[in-house]
């Protein structure tokens, strides 16, 4: 796979308008909804914004998950509102700087973001962290830059053959959108993205990622 298609980001998930950062004081999670096996929680962050957590279990290997994330051409088919994404720099096999554009629902203006991502397999878990890297690229005309991005994907194998996927994230959408609207968008975007993830993952099973260890599944 070419370096420009290695979206180990991702941005992956960074769901459009997820107004969420890991809170310095960890408050209890508040259940939002459960739909199609996807569970969404939220908790207060700062200034009226919330942190979002999405979880589900589904049959996938770590290789299958990572190969999906790296397939840049398929990104718009599962990450909510993504119109384009490309790797700006591949730092190492496990690290990338990525630029992503989002189509914003009316009346919001289109957004973009620049992120640094790094993945690892540790204690049997796959972990992908995503951080803001806005200073890497100058602002693009016609887009509002998202910032303060901080997200974490974790995958853990279950005894029933499924993998438990957890995504926790924050990103300030910028602009003048009211907090209540950003919070609603973050919830709907998380749910839509996880539905897309669940739909697309089967296409990447049975393939071994060259940078991940073989899995006995």
């Amino acid at each position: 796979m070419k370096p420009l298609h290695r979206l180990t980001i991702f941005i992956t998930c960074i769901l459009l308008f997820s107004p969420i950062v890991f809170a310095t004081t960890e408050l209890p999670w508040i259940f939002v909804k459960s739909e199609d096996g996807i569970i969404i929680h939220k908790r207060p962050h700062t200034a009226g914004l919330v942190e979002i957590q999405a979880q589900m279990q589904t049959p996938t290997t770590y290789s299958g998950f990572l190969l999906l994330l790296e397939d840049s051409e398929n990104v718009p088919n599962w990450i909510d509102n993504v119109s384009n994404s490309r790797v700006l720099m591949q730092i190492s096999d496990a690290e990338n700087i990525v630029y992503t554009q989002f189509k914003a629902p009316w009346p919001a203006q289109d957004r973009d973001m620049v992120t640094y991502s790094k993945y690892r397999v540790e204690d049997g878990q796959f972990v992908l962290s995503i951080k803001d890297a806005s200073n890497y690229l100058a602002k693009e005309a016609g887009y509002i830059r998202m910032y303060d991005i901080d997200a974490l994907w974790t995958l853990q194998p279950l005894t029933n053959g499924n993998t438990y996927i957890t995504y926790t994230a924050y990103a300030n959408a910028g602009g003048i959108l009211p907090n209540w609207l950003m919070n609603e968008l973050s919830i709907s975007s998380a749910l839509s993205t996880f539905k897309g993830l669940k739909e697309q993952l089967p296409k990447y099973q049975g393939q071994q990622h060259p940078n991940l260890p073989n899995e006995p599944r």
Side-chain angles (χ1 to χ4, degrees), residues 86-159:
R86 67 181 187 272
V87 172
L88 299 177
M89 181 173 68
Q90 185 175 7
I91 301 171
S92 71
D93 286 342
E95 298 172 277
N96 291 292
I97 301 291
V98 179
Y99 175 66
T100 307
Q101 294 176 334
F102 297 92
K103 297 177 182 177
W106 185 90
Q109 186 175 339
D110 289 347
R111 259 63 174 175
D112 67 1
M113 68 182 182
V114 184
T115 55
Y116 163 81
S117 67
K118 183 176 182 179
Y119 70 82
R120 66 187 187 277
V121 177
E122 184 175 87
D123 297 329
Q125 291 190 109
F126 177 91
V127 180
L128 170 64
S129 60
I130 302 136
K131 303 289 184 181
D132 187 11
S134 296
N135 293 335
Y136 188 86
L137 182 70
K139 292 183 179 180
E140 295 281 338
Y143 290 86
I144 293 178
R145 178 64 50 85
M146 297 171 66
Y147 60 96
D148 292 342
I149 297 161
D150 197 340
L152 186 71
W153 287 92
T154 61
L155 277 69
Q156 185 170 13
L158 301 174
T159 57

Side-chain angles (χ1 to χ4, degrees), residues 41-60:
H41 287 85
K42 68 178 181 179
R43 65 182 173 189
H45 177 52
T46 57
L49 300 180
V50 295
E51 181 178 10
I52 299 297
Q53 184 181 81
Q55 297 173 303
M56 72 174 178
Q57 57 173 288
T58 190
T60 183

Side-chain angles (χ1 to χ4, degrees), residues 16-20 42-52 108 111 147-148 170-188:
L16 176 60
F17 299 164
S18 301
I20 33 222
K42 68 178 181 179
R43 65 182 173 189
H45 177 52
T46 57
L49 300 180
V50 295
E51 181 178 10
I52 299 297
R111 259 63 174 175
Y147 60 96
D148 292 342
Y170 166 82
N172 192 317
I176 58 173
L177 290 175
N179 288 342
W180 67 265
L181 179 56
M182 287 196 291
N183 290 337
E184 287 298 320
L185 288 172
S186 70
I187 293 170
S188 62

